[in-house]
Each structure stands twice: as C-alpha cells, then as structure tokens.
Amino acid sequence: MPPPSITKLKRTSVSQPRLLNPTFSSSSPLHTQFPYHSSTLSQNHNPEPPGTLSPSIILSRKPSNGSHSSYYAHLLESCISRKAINPGKQLHAHLCQMGLGFNSYLATKLVNLYSVCRSLRDAHLLFDKIPKGNLFLWNVLIRGYAWNGPYEVAISLFHQMLGYGLMPDRYTFPFVLKACSALSAIEEGRKIHERVIQTRCETDVYVGAALIDMYAKCGCPGSARQVFDKIEVRDAVLWNSMLAAYSQNGHPDESLTLCGEMALTDLRPTEATFVTVISASADMAALPPGKELHGFSLRLGFESNDRVKTALVDMYAKTGSVKVARTLFEQLGEKRVVSWNAMITGYAMHGHASEALNLFEEMKRETLPDHITFVGVLGACSHGGLLNEGQTFFELMVREYHIDPTVQHYTCMIDLLGHCGRFGEAYSLIMQMKVMPDSGVWGALLNSCKMHGEIDLGELALEKLIELEPEDSGNYVILSNMYAKAGKWEGVARLRKLMIDKGIKKSIACSWIEVKNKIHAFLSGDTSHPNSDAIYAELKRLGGLMTEAGYVPGTGSVFHDVEEDEKANMVCCHSERLAIAFGLISTQPGTRLLITKNLRVCEDCHIAIKFISKITEREVTVRDVNRYHHFKDGICSCGDYW
DNA sequence: ATAGGGTTAG
C-alpha cells in the first residue's frame, strides 16, 4: 500500500490558523506550505536512522475519531527524542491544517523540537507567535541558543524574560550560565549568580555545577570553589566540575588533592572524573599519581573505557613513558581523533619525529585529521628540524584539509625556518599571517635569532615581545645573551637598565624529581639540598666520564668574566643536572628517571643528558612544564648576565 | 505536563 500523501489528508472546517504556520528556511528548496509531497519523500537522500518513525507512519496512525492534543504531544515527543526534524515539520504543517496550531502546549513542544534540532531560526519565529507567560517556553529557547549560539541571544532572552515579570527557575540558570561560560562573560555571570541566590537556587547541584563551570571558564577558580563549598549535598558531577575548574586554570595539584577528598566520600567516580584528573596529573608531569589513578580506574571497571584510556595515553606520553602510551593506544576499541592526536603529540614532544609522522600516515587512512593533529605533526617536524616535510604538511593542511592555520601552526613554521637560518622567509611568513602573531611566534623568532646571532631581527622580535608580555623576563635574557655573545656589552647594560626601570625580576629555572613519593627541587647552582655534597661529587664523576666519551661542554653560552675552569663548573650546575645526579645516587640502577623543569631545557643540557643516559645506562627523561611550542623560555639560568 | 550541570588532544 502506498504511503498516504499529506496533501490528501482531510482539511478541517475550522478557519486556517495562520498563527503557527511552520516556517522553512530560505535554504530549503521547499517553499510551499505542505513541503512533503510523496514525490519529495521518495527523494529523501538523508533517511532517518533506523528505528525512526517515518513521516508516513506517523500520519497513517492518525486517530480517526478526531484529534487529541495528547496524541500529537506524544508524536512530537517522539520526534524530539529522535531529533527528527522532518517528521516534526510535517506534523507542524498537519497541526496547522487540523486547527490545533494555536494550542500553545503543542506549539511549545514544536519550539522545543526546532531548538533541539538546532533550527533556531524556526524555533524563534514560532516562539514570537506564542503568548509569553510560560516559563518553560523561555527555557527551551534559551537552551537552544546556549547550546548552539549566538550566545548573546541566550543572555538577551534571559533579560527579556525578566522584563515580562517571569522568575527564572533551576532550569533557566544552567542554560543561561552555559552561554556566559561560552562567552567568558564574568560580569554577566556574577549578576546571574546574585539572582541565583535571590531565587534560592544555590543549593541545586545542576545550578551549582553550571556556576562552577562559568567561573572556571572565566578564569576564577576561587569563586568556583566558594560555590562548591556552599553546597552541602554534592553529587559526582558537582565534584567533576570543581576538579575541571582547577585543572582548566593551571592548578592540576589542587585538582588531584580534591580528587583525594572525593575518594573519601561514598560517591563513585565517573568517566569524567578520571578523564579530568588523569589529564591533571599529565599536566604536572607526575607519573606516580597518574599510575595510581590508572590502577584505581581499573579497579572500578573502566578498563575498556576508551575515553579514560585516551586520557591515559596522553598522561603516559607526556610523562615520558611513550611505549606504555603506545601499548594502551593500540588497545583502544575505537580510535577517535582525540586518541590519535594524543599519541602523535606525545611522540612530537619527545622528539620522536619519525614515529609521529608514521602514525599520522596511519591515521590519514582511518580518520580525518583536524587542526590539532597538524599542531602535533608540525611540532614533530620542528623538533626534528625537518623543514621540507614541515612545509609540505603545512601546504597539505591548507590545500587538502581546508584547515585555516592558527598561531600555533605558524609558530612551528617560524621555528623551522628560523632554526634553518631562513630569516627572510620566516619574517615574511609572519607578515602574511591572517591571525595576530602572539608571543609564541615572536618568541620562536627570537630564539632562532639567538641561535644564528641575528641581532637586528632579534631586537625587533624583542620589541614585539615587550609589547605583548612586558612582565616576562625570559625575552630580555635571550637578547642580552645575544649581545654578550657578540661582545656588545653596551647592549647588555642597556637591557639590564631597562629591566630595572620596568621592575622586572628574572624568573629562576627550577627542576624537580620525585623519589620515594617525595619531591626534590633544585635551583641552578643550588647547594641547599641535604645531599648536596654527594650530588656535586656525582656530577664531577659524570663530567669526567662524559669528557672521556667525547662530550664537549657547551659553547652555547659564553661567560665574559669567568675563568675557563669555572665555565665548566657552571655548565654542570644547571638545575636539571642537579636533579639527575640526585636521581642517580638515590634510586636503583635501571629505574627510569623523570625530571621536570619549569623552563625549557637548553640545547647543551639536552646533549649532556644523552651522554649521561648512555654512560649510566639509565633512561632519563626531562620534561619542561611549559608547552613545547613556547620557545620564549628557551633559556638556562646559568647563562645569564645579571 | 514537558527540561538541566561536568570530560580528554594544542
């Protein structure tokens, strides 16, 4: 039996309610009031997923004894839960014919349907025709804009709603706060928080989680914590939002501490708990808590959870256990973009360029790479000094994948060109960027200038960097070292005065290592550690062995007023080397050493560490906690002239 | 009478 066409349905005798006619966007090829003729149905190239009610089935079940609001409500609910826009529009047209269009209960459901189907234009046009006394109607439309944008409209609707004398409820707040989060609109967010308190909604966990998220996205974890502390009956999601608030704002340690408190409650951690807190431990380059969380997640039955597993891949890769990361990566049931990206960037940040690029080739066959994939791929090229490959991938990204380069992609390219001494091309690339060059870009250029002694361009880069981040000492230090290397002491003096005038203090390089659950931190030339004597003795011993093995202390930093033998001494007391020496004398042979550094490891130390690994047959990983594409901190504290 | 918050790769 052929499906009944909507045009054949009986028209009611009631005068046509124009009020709620469905609207069709101008992009739709269908401009008639009844768009779904049987001919158009058969041309449907986008069939609904299996299990969806087809439009013909909906209408063939039309009750013969007249129309009941609850019957259509049921059908509309069915469309809403399936996000089935086309049958919904057909129902809408049908309701207009039936004369049920002015039923504001059903109309509200239609607004809801358009809203969940992201047809905000249709939702809003219909909304405009419905009496405004119904809070639910407002909530539905605000939700639509909070989920899909423009977010400003959600906030403006909220104010219009207040203008109508309606009181927002515990459903309204999460929606409008989500819009504030998306816009980082802190002033608006705080005003809404006041209203939450007036309305006595502050103990609702949904409202609370939305407030915490709003404060987190606006960079105010302290305010988020105040909200969290005021709520007495908490659920897992509330904890999760607070954990995320800390890790999104550079406090992974607080996130881990809070996770410990959560573990003391009766609440069962969820997938989001583990994803958040495992990534927090990756951010602080802390393997032991990460491993503990791994075990904890296994005990709670998250072994085959791919999202948790992806977070673990990222954590193990970042903390230097690239092989463990790869093993887990291979265990993934479904490899999504995030998983590929975590593994590729993991290889890139440890300088495993060929592994990163091989994996990228494999990925291309299975998944569509995104802009973050290319940050990893270009980062791998930049680490490996692969200029030609980098340029090819950059082209590929733009031409084949139609991805607009971001500052991060440009930073990698500037670094690549600069390190190869192609300053003309590097500079013209900066000039032709469609995005504003940030401190990462100029920092990459400055760092390259330092390597090649390009003083003029270096001065220009510093000028830009001073505009962008006047408080950052690292930039001055790099240029100062360049002046010193070229013997331009008046430049050194000028910069020193500039820093004093601006009241800028130099940041100090610090490295740390965890041994037996205790963190041991070292500054450059530090002698305050209880085992200091033994550490320096070990460094001296290593120095001898390294020289025998062919190591030549770095010529990267030149000391103008220090005797030759003292130079060698100073090169040996960079903070990462102190941490390594301590690790060597206080752990079992064969244990892997993970050192974390707050500034970028200098090239000389990188070479030295390779020698140390070889001589001692120990796996040594030094990880800087700065993002690897931030080249502005490419300094070692001993090489400075202050 | 219908609805809602948190999550990873740079």
Side-chain angles (χ1 to χ4, degrees):
Chain A
M1 189 182 123
S5 161
I6 186 166
T7 49
K8 288 178 192 159
L9 291 167
K10 198 185 79 184
R11 279 181 181 262
T12 58
S13 55
V14 181
S15 64
Q16 276 301 301
R18 307 294 305 171
L19 180 68
L20 297 171
N21 279 350
T23 57
F24 299 102
S25 62
S26 52
S27 61
S28 158
L30 310 159
H31 301 292
T32 56
Q33 189 176 340
F34 311 113
Y36 298 101
H37 301 282
S38 47
S39 57
T40 59
L41 282 173
S42 61
Q43 286 165 12
N44 187 0
H45 296 292
N46 260 329
E48 300 293 340
T52 304
L53 294 177
S54 83
S56 53
I57 291 176
I58 292 175
L59 293 170
S60 66
R61 287 189 199 145
K62 184 175 77 79
S64 53
N65 59 340
S67 42
H68 302 293
S69 166
S70 65
Y71 168 73
Y72 291 106
H74 177 75
L75 287 182
L76 277 171
E77 275 313 316
S78 180
C79 294
I80 290 165
S81 63
R82 291 153 206 258
K83 295 194 172 48
I85 181 78
N86 287 347
K89 280 196 174 182
Q90 199 174 0
L91 261 172
H92 187 176
H94 179 65
L95 286 171
C96 292
Q97 282 185 292
M98 295 292 293
L100 278 166
F102 48 76
N103 180 327
S104 75
Y105 166 56
L106 291 178
T108 302
K109 283 212 184 299
L110 276 167
V111 174
N112 191 9
L113 173 73
Y114 288 131
S115 172
V116 299
C117 294
R118 306 158 73 104
S119 303
L120 268 294
R121 208 184 85 98
D122 293 326
H124 208 141
L125 283 167
L126 187 52
F127 169 89
D128 283 340
K129 297 171 185 163
I130 304 173
K132 300 288 176 286
N134 177 0
L135 182 60
F136 179 74
L137 177 67
W138 287 90
N139 286 352
V140 160
L141 195 65
I142 292 174
R143 181 191 61 185
Y145 283 108
W147 283 357
N148 305 294
Y151 307 110
E152 290 85 353
V153 182
I155 295 172
S156 136
L157 277 169
F158 178 75
H159 289 291
Q160 285 175 46
M161 187 189 96
L162 298 174
Y164 275 93
L166 288 168
M167 282 291 271
D169 66 359
R170 65 206 164 93
Y171 291 98
T172 322
F173 289 121
F175 300 144
V176 69
L177 285 167
K178 196 175 181 67
C180 294
S181 299
L183 293 168
S184 292
I186 181 67
E187 290 91 5
E188 191 58 47
R190 287 200 190 278
K191 277 187 219 150
I192 293 170
H193 188 180
E194 280 171 30
R195 211 164 264 280
V196 166
I197 295 166
Q198 285 169 18
T199 329
R200 295 167 193 262
C201 285
E202 74 266 38
T203 52
D204 184 277
V205 280
Y206 286 80
V207 176
L211 275 170
I212 290 169
D213 182 57
M214 184 275 294
Y215 281 122
K217 299 271 155 61
C218 295
C220 305
S223 302
R225 183 58 190 255
Q226 285 179 7
V227 174
F228 180 80
D229 285 338
K230 286 210 180 80
I231 298 173
E232 278 162 21
V233 186
R234 300 170 184 151
D235 66 357
V237 178
L238 196 76
W239 283 90
N240 294 348
S241 31
M242 195 58 228
L243 294 171
Y246 280 132
S247 47
Q248 285 163 4
N249 286 284
H251 301 290
D253 47 338
E254 302 272 15
S255 185
L256 287 174
T257 309
L258 195 69
C259 179
E261 288 176 37
M262 182 181 177
L264 299 176
T265 69
D266 290 335
L267 291 168
R268 182 187 158 85
T270 66
E271 172 186 291
T273 316
F274 282 112
V275 170
T276 305
V277 96
I278 288 169
S279 89
S281 79
D283 280 344
M284 49 193 299
L287 188 55
K291 266 186 147 170
E292 208 172 299
L293 288 165
H294 187 182
F296 192 25
S297 72
L298 295 180
R299 266 175 277 138
L300 288 184
F302 286 88
E303 186 176 2
S304 48
N305 183 309
D306 281 350
R307 285 166 202 270
V308 173
K309 199 164 265 174
T310 296
L312 287 168
V313 168
D314 176 53
M315 186 272 294
Y316 279 111
K318 278 191 180 147
T319 50
S321 305
V322 191
K323 282 180 190 156
V324 180
R326 183 61 188 255
T327 309
L328 287 168
F329 175 79
E330 294 302 337
Q331 289 172 6
L332 285 167
E334 189 201 357
K335 296 186 181 81
R336 294 169 312 121
V337 199
V338 198
S339 328
W340 291 99
N341 290 353
M343 198 61 237
I344 289 173
T345 50
Y347 278 133
M349 72 200 310
H350 290 287
H352 302 272
S354 62
E355 281 90 344
L357 299 182
N358 287 340
L359 201 61
F360 174 64
E361 294 302 326
E362 206 179 305
M363 172 189 186
K364 278 199 295 188
R365 279 176 252 136
E366 294 186 31
T367 322
L368 194 65
D370 66 3
H371 67 113
I372 291 160
T373 317
F374 280 97
V375 173
V377 168
L378 295 176
C381 295
S382 146
H383 246 94
L386 307 170
L387 177 59
N388 289 337
E389 287 84 346
Q391 285 176 319
T392 310
F393 285 125
F394 192 81
E395 284 283 298
L396 181 81
M397 172 177 88
V398 178
R399 295 271 154 78
E400 300 232 349
Y401 293 96
H402 308 289
I403 295 169
D404 288 332
T406 67
V407 267
Q408 289 166 32
H409 302 118
Y410 282 114
T411 304
C412 294
M413 294 313 291
I414 303 299
D415 181 65
L416 264 173
L417 288 165
H419 272 60
C420 297
R422 313 256 286 253
F423 289 101
E425 287 160 79
Y427 188 69
S428 67
L429 186 61
I430 295 181
M431 289 300 112
Q432 69 188 59
M433 281 171 57
K434 289 192 190 91
V435 280
M436 270 286 282
D438 68 349
S439 61
V441 172
W442 292 113
L445 187 67
L446 178 60
N447 211 41
S448 305
C449 290
K450 173 191 150 197
M451 284 183 64
H452 290 87
E454 275 280 327
I455 291 195
D456 290 348
L457 197 54
E459 283 175 338
L460 177 92
L462 179 71
E463 220 170 88
K464 300 288 184 186
L465 282 164
I466 291 175
E467 281 171 32
L468 290 165
E469 41 184 35
E471 302 302 314
D472 196 299
S473 64
N475 305 321
Y476 297 87
V477 175
I478 293 177
L479 188 62
S480 170
N481 285 345
M482 286 168 63
Y483 282 137
K485 202 167 171 181
K488 298 193 171 188
W489 305 112
E490 72 287 351
V492 176
R494 191 161 45 84
L495 275 187
R496 185 189 306 217
K497 184 170 183 307
L498 190 64
M499 276 187 78
I500 293 168
D501 290 349
K502 289 181 181 260
I504 293 161
K505 293 226 168 56
K506 196 177 77 63
S507 48
I508 296 168
C510 173
S511 300
W512 57 95
I513 181 173
E514 188 167 319
V515 173
K516 292 180 187 119
N517 293 323
K518 194 167 181 281
I519 302 228
H520 299 260
F522 300 88
L523 301 177
S524 235
D526 202 337
T527 51
S528 62
H529 195 276
N531 295 5
S532 194
D533 289 346
I535 291 167
Y536 278 88
E538 175 70 1
L539 271 184
K540 200 173 171 193
R541 186 183 77 86
L542 287 171
L545 293 171
M546 282 156 72
T547 311
E548 276 173 36
Y551 169 75
V552 183
T555 45
S557 306
V558 180
F559 301 93
H560 70 284
D561 53 358
V562 189
E563 292 300 317
E564 278 295 322
D565 55 342
E566 276 180 89
K567 285 184 204 174
N569 249 337
M570 287 188 74
V571 173
C572 284
C573 62
H574 288 184
S575 62
E576 57 270 50
R577 299 199 197 185
L578 293 173
I580 291 172
F582 175 71
L584 288 171
I585 58 176
S586 43
T587 57
Q588 297 295 319
T591 337
R592 203 175 58 89
L593 298 184
L594 176 72
I595 314 293
T596 307
K597 189 172 185 196
N598 68 333
L599 298 174
R600 197 166 185 242
V601 181
C602 78
E603 274 141 49
D604 190 44
C605 277
H606 268 307
I607 299 166
I609 291 159
K610 280 193 183 153
F611 272 93
I612 294 173
S613 275
K614 211 169 134 191
I615 290 163
T616 59
E617 297 179 345
R618 298 281 285 266
E619 197 186 330
V620 181
T621 308
V622 181
R623 207 205 128 186
D624 45 59
V625 282
N626 284 305
R627 299 289 187 197
Y628 67 94
H629 55 273
H630 279 190
F631 296 104
K632 62 187 163 91
D633 288 323
I635 54 165
C636 260
S637 51
C638 281
D640 311 331
Y641 291 88
W642 313 105

